[in-house]
């Protein structure tokens, strides 16, 4: 699947440094604004210990992990919604992503200039939020002008419902709230709202970029951000990007493990961030396991078996007959597909089966 997370933030907050930690791509990380002009895209491997376990049991020729695309988008500035800086281009790049990783500077360093002079992550958050909200308000007002007359004459029920939804978003945005704070009553309303393609309706993860001393427990800046997002439907993650960059430069897994142990982290912030991005996109994993390969397949949570089959090949979905499913825990317990079958742990599921995270699946189809 080609779902993307976009890394956004003001200039010089550590976006490109963080991107470099996550990806084999190498964005320029320099101490001045707009060092990233075109969005850099990296395909990131999702850490999953289950793959290593399946590899030992199956002994395949190759192992293919799940991935997520991360896009490093150049730093926004105040006035971006009106075209300031490289605003229109940046906002367009954000619109193309499925979720937002909002990096906030939560560290002091006199050698790294701040575009607004002093470190204040809540102010920085509000600057970015305001620019995205203003652009969304522009979008909503444009839609309102097109449907208002139809809605108010009363002849078009769909136009009236759409108008009511638009007004909810307009009210929230005018109050300085992001679109994701608007709660809609039913699935049909949410489906209509998705067609607005609002920037602030995208799921968001706030990434607090701290120094090494705050990598484990955070700091006062992080707590300020935590309070500021309390009413949002968003998550927060603490990462020391500069430290992560140092970890990424180490040659061996053992060297990286010892470095993390020394600073008190059970795993790298990069690994935690990748998993958080995966969850932010509402993604889960099922596996196929055989001698040619063990592979992790990414699907959107709630997908049914034919949809999951279609991720492998569209023919699998078109000609879907059934899915043979083994739960991961059962596969590990019995050690093989054959043993699971013998012990009644292989289930045959039809078109209405909702795929569960960790399912090991084999699809039967006929085209």
């Amino acid at each position: 699947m080609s779902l993307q997370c976009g890394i956004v933030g003001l200039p010089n907050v550590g976006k490109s440094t963080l991107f470099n930690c996550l990806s084999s791509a190498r964005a320029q990380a320099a101490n001045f604004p707009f060092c990233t002009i075109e969005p850099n895209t990296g395909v990131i491997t999702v850490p999953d210990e289950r793959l290593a376990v399946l590899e030992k049991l199956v002994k395949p020729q190759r192992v293919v992990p799940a991935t997520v695309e991360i896009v490093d988008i150049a730093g926004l500035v105040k006035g971006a919604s009106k075209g300031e800086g490289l605003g229109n281009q940046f906002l367009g790049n954000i619109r193309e992503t499925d979720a937002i990783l909002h990096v906030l500077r939560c560290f002091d360093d006199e050698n790294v200039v701040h575009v607004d002079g002093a470190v204040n992550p809540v102010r920085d958050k509000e600057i970015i939020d305001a620019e995205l909200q203003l652009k969304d308000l522009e979008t909503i007002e444009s839609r309102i002008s097109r449907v208002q007359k139809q809605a108010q004459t009363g002849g078009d029920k769909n136009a009236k419902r759409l108008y009511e939804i638009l007004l909810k978003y307009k009210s929230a945005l005018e109050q300085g709230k992001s679109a994701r704070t608007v709660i809609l009553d039913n699935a049909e309303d949410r489906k209509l709202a998705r067609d607005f393609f609002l920037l602030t309706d995208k799921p968001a993860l706030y990434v607090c970029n701290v120094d090494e001393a705050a990598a484990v427990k955070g700091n006062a800046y992080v707590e300020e951000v935590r309070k500021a997002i309390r009413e949002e439907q968003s998550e927060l993650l603490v990462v020391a990007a500069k430290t992560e960059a140092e970890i990424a430069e180490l040659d061996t897994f053992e060297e990286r493990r010892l470095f993390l142990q020394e600073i008190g982290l059970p795993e790298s912030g990069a690994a935690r961030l990748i998993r958080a991005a995966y969850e932010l996109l509402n993604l889960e994993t099922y596996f196929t396991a055989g001698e040619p390969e063990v592979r992790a397949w990414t699907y959107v949570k709630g997908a049914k078996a034919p949809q999951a089959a279609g991720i492998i090949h569209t023919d699998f979905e078109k000609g879907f007959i059934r899915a043979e499913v083994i739960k991961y825990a059962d596969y590990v317990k019995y050690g093989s597909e054959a043993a699971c079958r013998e012990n009644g742990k292989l289930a045959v599921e039809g078109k209405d089966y909702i795929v569960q995270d960790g399912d090991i699946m084999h699809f039967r189809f006929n085209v």
Side-chain angles (χ1 to χ4, degrees):
M1 300 181 72
S2 58
L3 295 176
Q4 292 184 338
C5 285
I7 300 180
V8 305
L10 292 177
N12 293 351
V13 297
K15 295 185 293 72
S16 295
T17 301
L18 187 62
F19 177 82
N20 289 343
C21 300
L22 297 173
S23 174
S24 57
R26 284 293 178 264
Q28 181 186 3
N31 185 21
F32 55 88
F34 310 126
C35 65
T36 307
I37 304 301
E38 296 297 329
N40 293 273
T41 302
V43 179
I44 314 300
T45 298
V46 180
D48 195 327
E49 294 177 355
R50 295 172 298 186
L51 274 175
V53 175
L54 291 173
E55 182 180 15
K56 288 180 180 178
L57 294 172
V58 179
K59 297 180 174 57
Q61 294 173 26
R62 64 174 184 161
V63 175
V64 182
T67 60
V68 171
E69 285 190 13
I70 305 288
V71 183
D72 178 24
I73 297 170
L76 289 166
V77 295
K78 188 181 292 185
S81 61
K82 304 299 181 185
E84 291 295 325
L86 300 176
N88 290 329
Q89 179 183 340
F90 298 168
L91 292 168
N93 292 333
I94 294 170
R95 196 177 299 281
E96 293 172 5
T97 65
D98 301 286
I100 294 172
L101 306 179
H102 188 161
V103 182
L104 296 167
R105 178 172 170 177
C106 294
F107 66 89
D108 294 305
D109 187 340
E110 61 184 18
N111 295 316
V112 180
V113 298
H114 191 288
V115 70
D116 279 330
V119 177
N120 186 331
V122 174
R123 176 206 58 210
D124 295 353
K125 170 193 176 301
E126 290 171 350
I127 289 172
I128 299 292
D129 285 350
E131 296 306 322
L132 300 184
Q133 289 161 10
L134 285 169
K135 202 66 180 177
D136 281 348
L137 187 58
E138 182 182 305
T139 299
I140 290 295
E141 289 176 338
S142 176
R143 292 292 294 265
I144 286 174
S145 67
R146 296 204 298 269
V147 304
Q148 186 172 10
K149 187 174 181 180
Q150 291 173 292
Q152 290 177 339
T153 57
D156 188 333
K157 290 184 179 179
N158 288 333
K160 184 178 180 182
R161 188 68 196 129
L162 184 61
Y163 180 62
E164 290 171 354
I165 295 169
L166 287 164
L167 289 180
K168 285 186 179 181
Y169 280 105
K170 184 173 186 289
S171 175
L173 291 164
E174 286 178 337
Q175 295 175 57
K177 296 179 180 178
S178 293
R180 73 180 70 91
T181 64
V182 175
I183 306 299
L184 297 178
D185 298 331
N186 56 60
E188 186 60 33
D189 288 354
R190 291 191 290 273
K191 185 178 179 182
L192 287 171
R194 280 198 294 273
D195 291 338
F196 303 158
F197 298 106
L198 299 178
L199 299 171
T200 63
D201 203 27
K202 297 177 185 292
L205 172 70
Y206 291 96
V207 182
C208 292
N209 183 18
V210 301
D211 56 24
E212 185 176 314
V216 178
K217 296 183 179 180
N219 56 25
Y221 291 133
V222 173
E223 292 310 308
E224 289 172 10
V225 176
R226 203 183 300 279
K227 290 176 184 177
I229 68 169
R230 191 168 291 161
E231 295 183 4
E232 289 190 32
Q233 299 180 53
S234 303
E235 300 294 330
L236 181 148
L237 189 70
V238 177
V239 174
K242 186 177 179 181
T243 303
E244 294 292 324
E246 294 173 6
I247 294 170
E249 293 297 321
L250 297 174
D251 293 328
T252 67
F253 172 81
E254 183 61 19
E255 286 178 313
R256 292 191 288 272
R257 187 187 68 79
L258 289 172
F259 191 119
L260 288 167
Q261 188 178 62
E262 185 177 327
I263 62 176
L265 288 173
E267 65 175 346
S268 73
R272 288 185 289 115
L273 179 55
I274 294 165
R275 273 201 293 273
Y278 197 70
E279 293 172 5
L280 190 66
L281 291 166
N282 202 27
L283 302 178
E284 292 183 333
T285 302
Y286 77 83
F287 302 100
T288 52
E291 289 185 8
E293 71 174 20
V294 166
R295 184 168 188 145
W297 298 92
T298 298
Y299 66 94
V300 177
K301 188 176 182 179
K304 293 184 178 180
Q307 296 172 294
I311 294 166
I312 299 176
H313 197 287
T314 53
D315 285 349
F316 284 28
E317 182 172 6
K318 291 175 184 176
F320 179 88
I321 299 172
R322 65 179 183 272
E324 296 174 354
V325 182
I326 302 171
K327 297 302 178 186
Y328 173 77
D330 289 333
Y331 201 103
V332 173
K333 179 179 178 179
Y334 293 103
S336 70
E337 180 180 324
C340 287
R341 191 184 299 269
E342 288 172 7
N343 286 276
K345 297 300 181 181
L346 186 150
V348 177
E349 304 288 357
K351 292 182 178 180
D352 291 330
Y353 176 70
I354 297 175
V355 180
Q356 303 298 304
D357 185 56
D359 279 354
I360 297 163
M361 307 188 76
H362 181 70
F363 298 104
R364 301 291 183 182
F365 70 101
N366 183 24
V367 177

